[in-house]
Amino acid sequence: MTTKWRTLKERIVVKDRWIDLRAEKCETPSGALLDPFYTLHLPDLVFVVALTSNEEVVLVREYRHGIKETVLNLPGGAIEPGESPIAAAKRELAEEAGFTATRWHQVAKVAADVGRQNNNIYIFIATGASCDAIRNLDTGEEGMTMELLQIKGLYKGLSDGILPHAGHISAFLLAMSSIGRLELK
């Protein structure tokens, strides 16, 4: 059984609205020192798998600067301070895709990156989704478009990179499993 590392010292390398990077001096249970060990302190996130009554998944197409490509994503984003995960999920679906849903269920809470980040991802499935909200895109989301894709089409495209974000793939598969629709070949 392993025990926790001890943080002996911590300093903020950079902190602004986008990133909080810290350098820590850590001691392992065996006494080894890791200095510096970098960690990212980020807000918790929500990912939403929203399904229409026609078996369509609500997706958004947006530019992602990290990979410098425009790709499909699930609606989602950061949980605001004081906001519950479910409220953030409903807000993100409305803001990014213009959709609401009649039924919501939290599928999972997973870690974003267990080795370097402190934040969690809350995964929701929303069924009975309909396009009846006003989109309200954040700065940097200009040009984001909404797309609907049949569940079967999304499954078929996963291995070809139709949904390139590993966390979004996991969210989709966990959501489908939660409703008995997991299709693995």
Side-chain angles (χ1 to χ4, degrees):
M1 181 173 136
T2 62
T3 58
K4 293 183 178 183
W5 295 356
R6 286 188 332 133
T7 300
L8 305 175
K9 186 168 88 173
E10 177 183 80
R11 73 178 167 84
I12 295 173
V13 176
V14 62
K15 184 175 181 173
D16 59 26
R17 71 182 242 186
W18 300 107
I19 192 169
D20 179 348
L21 177 65
R22 300 178 190 191
E24 299 177 16
K25 180 178 182 178
C26 298
E27 181 181 20
T28 69
S30 68
L33 292 179
L34 301 171
D35 185 20
F37 187 87
Y38 294 101
T39 57
L40 281 170
H41 294 249
L42 300 170
D44 287 343
L45 304 171
V46 293
F47 294 162
V48 180
V49 178
L51 304 176
T52 70
S53 59
N54 294 327
E55 302 268 304
E56 297 163 313
V57 182
V58 178
L59 300 165
V60 293
R61 185 172 296 279
E62 64 182 314
Y63 175 74
R64 306 309 290 170
H65 192 68
I67 62 170
K68 295 178 179 45
E69 292 182 26
T70 299
V71 298
L72 281 176
N73 282 319
L74 295 171
I79 299 173
E80 299 294 333
E83 186 177 38
S84 69
I86 185 68
K90 289 178 179 182
R91 176 182 51 77
E92 289 289 347
L93 182 61
E95 285 180 356
E96 292 186 353
F99 272 71
T100 61
T102 56
R103 291 171 303 285
W104 289 83
H105 173 69
Q106 182 179 320
V107 173
K109 173 184 168 187
V110 297
D113 176 349
V114 296
R116 300 282 179 174
Q117 291 177 212
N118 73 326
N119 63 325
N120 294 301
I121 302 168
Y122 294 83
I123 299 167
F124 288 89
I125 187 160
T127 56
S130 59
C131 186
D132 56 6
I134 297 172
R135 293 176 72 213
N136 183 21
L137 300 177
D138 291 331
T139 302
E141 294 178 337
E142 301 89 354
M144 178 187 285
T145 59
M146 185 280 301
E147 295 184 25
L148 298 174
L149 186 62
Q150 291 293 135
I151 292 171
K152 288 189 181 289
L154 189 51
Y155 270 122
K156 287 179 183 176
L158 286 179
S159 60
D160 294 327
I162 194 168
L163 197 64
H165 191 298
H168 290 204
I169 295 168
S170 298
F172 173 68
L173 295 175
L174 286 168
M176 292 297 98
S177 177
S178 77
I179 60 170
R181 298 284 308 273
L182 185 60
E183 298 175 20
L184 298 176
K185 294 181 180 179

